[in-house]
Amino acid sequence: KKLCLTSGQILVLTPYMTMMFEVEDLAVASPATVSRCGMVYMEPVSLGTTPLIDSWFQSLPDSL
């Protein structure tokens, strides 16, 4: 497995490495990128506000 950057640099991954990316959209993804990725798409409206609130709570300092 390897990750090819737009700069031309190639990062070789070991068998023990996994990369995961979260993107807002695939507007600039190439067909090659899309064909090699496993995609899980969820409509933001179907998630509701719970993930947003949970994320915000996790970002608060422990001293509150």
Side-chain angles (χ1 to χ4, degrees):
K1 297 183 272 184
K2 60 184 174 180
L3 176 65
C4 302
L5 305 176
T6 56
S7 66
Q9 184 179 6
I10 298 173
L11 303 175
V12 179
L13 305 178
T14 68
Y16 305 103
M17 296 170 73
T18 300
M19 282 197 170
M20 296 180 74
F21 298 93
E22 182 177 342
V23 297
E24 184 174 338
D25 60 48
L26 296 174
V28 295
S30 70
T33 299
V34 174
S35 69
R36 289 178 176 86
C37 295
M39 304 279 174
V40 176
Y41 178 77
M42 299 196 60
E43 290 282 345
V45 294
S46 67
L47 295 173
T49 57
T50 302
L52 180 62
I53 294 168
D54 289 346
S55 176
W56 179 70
F57 274 128
Q58 291 173 5
S59 71
L60 295 175
D62 292 333
S63 61
L64 287 178

